[in-house]
Amino acid sequence: MNKASRLFWPVLITPKNAVVKQTEQLSRSQKLLMELGLIKSGSNGTYQIMPIAQRVVDKCISLVQRNMQEAGGQKISLPVLTPAQLWKKTGRLEGDISEFYMVRDRSGKQFLMSPTHEEAVTAMLATAAPISYRQLPLRLYQIGPKFRDELKSRFGLMRAKEFLMKDMYTFDVSKEAAECTYATVSDAYERFFRQLEVPFVKVEAATGIMGGSLSHEYHYISPVGEDTLLNCSACGYAGNAEVLGSDAETASTCPSCQSTQLSRVRGVEVAHTFLLGDKYSKPLGATFLNKSGKPETLQMGCYGVGITRVIAAALEVLSTEQELRWPKLLAPYDVCLIGPKQGSKEQAPVERLENELLQQLTQICGAEQLLHDERKELTIGKRLLDAKRLGHPLTIVVGAKAAQQEAPQLELHASGAEKMELSAAEVLRVVATHVQHKQQLLQQQQMPSHEQDTSESQAVGHVH
Ligand SMILES: [Zn+2]
């Protein structure tokens, strides 16, 4: 079980007379995460993740991983350092490279601290033993740090110079097969976002511009978003104004149905999918052997989820100015239990109830998901304030009313809801319902209405 007294939790204390620089605009997630000691600033644009927030990151990783495995993904790890030579071959060093971190080793060889790994993974396949068409599709993914020397890093984990990303690269025998892979991975993305229960918008990205290639972005709607999204309430069309071109910035009719019911919102891009064709496989010579044993160029796709950005953007959408609110599957703990204050008159009689409750809660949600705030030198009020600001889905207080002979009452504070006074049995039922809801989210399958190839839906059918 997790004990609050042992938690490393370096709360930011701002002296009362401190002058807060007005030039620095903080987002809600950044402000709360820093004030509450969940993240600390490393250097400008980099962040140190403290134990409570690390639990959230780990939960997000495991949820992404679960969905990638369901989409047929296999996990790998590629080095952060990619030889610059590879990027020269694909022409990507010819554009604006001001956001790349370039380093040299002692022999003078140049490397990129990779912001993305298309070159590295494609070169790896090109130098592997010949791949047979029978081994395809191949869906490889990794989760690791990415680097971008942002001109304006801001809003904490939303736009940092170092961030955590899941990136998947897929390889298929043909364009058609690559499109099937695209549909499968897109389904996994949509499932992941539904599991987080934060409203998201999937928008067309560069369709048309990249010559028939498919690309979509997933956004959370927030005033701190850096993209302008067009949303048509007549046909459901959604697009990113920036990639639709300059006309779209001022357009008053829907590009899809020409209706005028077009609205604009700010979006935070949290994921991106792309059908790449042979853009990387051709220059890097990544091929497979077809049925007649002849080499053919692999058809690729790439799929990213910004792990740390999803977390920050979800907090941005859900939280209030004073209190964090988490997606249920990402909250650091399910339940926080606060016991009586040391030396209070109810301490002795309610401690037995507190211990019983701890055991029962452990049975229901597991010791790992339980935070016991046993800092008994602090008042209940002070600890409750901390619990509310940290946004635990459920906080239980075993206080004075738990000492009543007849029908002892506990306080239950659900994140974002009014306080309830309940019996121990009722509290345990609420916790059980919460755990059950999480299970249901995890077991979500593809939406039945969703387009998918028949082999895929059969595979889903077998799971039941
Ligand atoms: Zn429309």
Side-chain angles (χ1 to χ4, degrees):
M1 191 185 315
N2 303 282
K3 294 191 182 301
S5 65
R6 304 300 308 146
L7 260 180
F8 181 60
W9 179 13
V11 176
L12 196 68
I13 296 167
T14 318
K16 283 236 159 60
N17 54 359
V19 183
V20 180
K21 266 193 288 177
Q22 288 302 321
T23 50
E24 202 181 348
Q25 196 193 2
L26 298 185
S27 68
R28 199 174 278 187
S29 64
Q30 180 184 17
K31 182 175 162 283
L32 287 169
L33 288 173
M34 294 198 30
E35 279 179 9
L36 293 169
L38 271 58
I39 62 171
K40 278 177 70 62
S41 171
S43 56
N44 178 24
T46 68
Y47 289 89
Q48 299 155 339
I49 295 180
M50 299 296 109
I52 299 175
Q54 187 62 48
R55 293 177 63 90
V56 179
V57 172
D58 290 344
K59 286 184 178 187
C60 192
I61 289 176
S62 96
L63 188 61
V64 167
Q65 217 152 258
R66 191 184 162 105
N67 282 300
M68 289 303 98
Q69 300 286 351
E70 272 186 53
Q74 303 181 59
K75 193 176 184 186
I76 58 170
S77 291
L78 298 167
V80 164
L81 296 176
T82 302
Q85 195 54 38
L86 281 181
W87 282 57
K88 284 191 184 125
K89 279 192 191 164
T90 59
R92 276 219 276 190
L93 284 188
E94 282 155 25
D96 178 12
I97 59 164
S98 58
E99 287 194 344
F100 299 158
Y101 283 98
M102 309 285 278
V103 292
R104 285 185 191 278
D105 70 5
R106 62 181 72 207
S107 70
K109 196 175 166 192
Q110 204 175 28
F111 294 85
L112 277 110
M113 289 172 72
S114 292
T116 174
H117 279 85
E118 285 80 7
E119 282 83 354
V121 71
T122 312
M124 183 272 286
L125 279 190
T127 55
I131 292 159
S132 156
Y133 70 94
R134 288 189 203 89
Q135 291 169 269
L136 301 172
L138 200 51
R139 297 165 184 166
L140 303 175
Y141 76 95
Q142 61 170 353
I143 294 174
K146 293 276 186 281
F147 300 86
R148 200 170 292 162
D149 191 1
E150 298 278 3
L151 180 62
K152 265 198 263 173
S153 63
R154 55 182 181 161
F155 300 148
L157 297 180
M158 289 240 268
R159 197 168 198 83
K161 292 180 177 176
E162 179 178 344
F163 49 95
L164 197 60
M165 199 163 123
K166 185 287 301 178
D167 41 334
M168 178 185 253
Y169 305 94
T170 63
F171 302 89
D172 276 280
V173 293
S174 64
K175 274 188 177 161
E176 294 69 33
E179 279 165 17
C180 267
T181 288
Y182 192 85
T184 302
V185 181
S186 298
D187 277 340
Y189 271 41
E190 286 175 33
R191 185 170 58 236
F192 167 69
F193 284 114
R194 283 199 306 275
Q195 287 169 329
L196 293 182
E197 298 185 293
V198 178
F200 67 96
V201 184
K202 179 181 175 180
V203 299
E204 269 180 52
T207 330
I209 300 164
M210 297 299 288
S213 288
L214 266 179
S215 179
H216 290 94
E217 296 168 350
Y218 296 74
H219 286 261
Y220 281 165
I221 305 303
S222 162
V224 299
E226 294 184 326
D227 291 286
T228 302
L229 308 180
L230 301 183
N231 210 337
C232 172
S233 57
C235 72
Y237 170 88
N240 187 329
E242 191 190 349
V243 292
L244 286 169
S246 55
D247 290 350
E249 299 276 2
T250 52
S252 55
T253 55
C254 168
S256 176
C257 76
Q258 270 68 54
S259 135
T260 52
Q261 296 172 40
L262 206 58
S263 61
R264 284 176 172 70
V265 285
R266 305 295 289 171
V268 182
E269 185 191 327
V270 283
H272 200 156
T273 58
F274 215 103
L275 209 49
L276 297 168
D278 58 7
K279 190 176 171 188
Y280 298 91
S281 45
K282 206 168 184 180
L284 294 169
T287 58
F288 69 98
L289 299 179
N290 65 17
K291 281 186 183 165
S292 34
K294 295 239 167 63
E296 267 185 61
T297 302
L298 285 160
Q299 293 291 319
M300 288 178 60
C302 72
Y303 308 84
V305 173
I307 304 270
T308 35
R309 184 182 280 196
V310 163
I311 295 169
L315 288 175
E316 211 58 48
V317 174
L318 302 175
S319 303
T320 69
E321 288 295 331
Q322 295 303 322
E323 296 176 6
L324 289 169
R325 300 258 199 280
W326 304 95
K328 289 189 184 69
L329 291 178
L330 301 190
Y333 311 92
D334 287 343
V335 180
C336 172
L337 183 83
I338 298 174
K341 185 179 187 299
Q342 191 101 52
S344 61
K345 63 177 186 299
E346 66 269 18
Q347 186 189 3
V350 304
E351 268 181 351
R352 209 181 70 199
L353 180 60
E354 186 187 6
N355 289 329
E356 275 173 22
L357 211 52
L358 282 171
Q359 282 185 4
Q360 289 159 326
L361 287 168
T362 302
Q363 305 259 312
I364 298 171
C365 65
E368 232 348 89
Q369 301 311 324
L370 187 55
L371 176 67
H372 184 203
D373 195 342
E374 27 59 291
R375 298 174 298 165
K376 296 201 167 171
E377 71 282 7
L378 300 178
T379 62
I380 286 179
K382 165 78 178 94
R383 284 177 285 162
L384 185 57
L385 187 67
D386 282 344
K388 289 191 143 192
R389 295 204 74 198
L390 286 172
H392 305 301
L394 297 169
T395 300
I396 303 166
V397 178
V398 191
K401 285 195 175 168
Q404 290 171 169
Q405 287 292 329
E406 302 277 314
Q409 298 277 295
L410 308 178
E411 271 178 31
L412 181 74
H413 300 259
S415 175
E418 291 292 310
K419 168 180 91 171
M420 288 187 286
E421 293 191 346
L422 303 171
S423 71
E426 286 166 328
V427 164
L428 293 173
R429 266 201 295 278
V430 175
V431 175
T433 305
H434 178 78
V435 172
Q436 211 177 12
H437 180 75
K438 280 177 60 185
Q439 286 303 326
Q440 283 163 354
L441 286 174
L442 283 176
Q443 279 150 19
Q444 256 190 46
Q445 295 294 338
Q446 266 99 340
M447 295 283 246
S449 63
H450 222 269
E451 285 177 25
Q452 45 193 297
D453 65 67
T454 44
S455 63
E456 192 67 26
S457 38
Q458 278 166 4
V460 171
H462 285 304
V463 175
H464 291 292

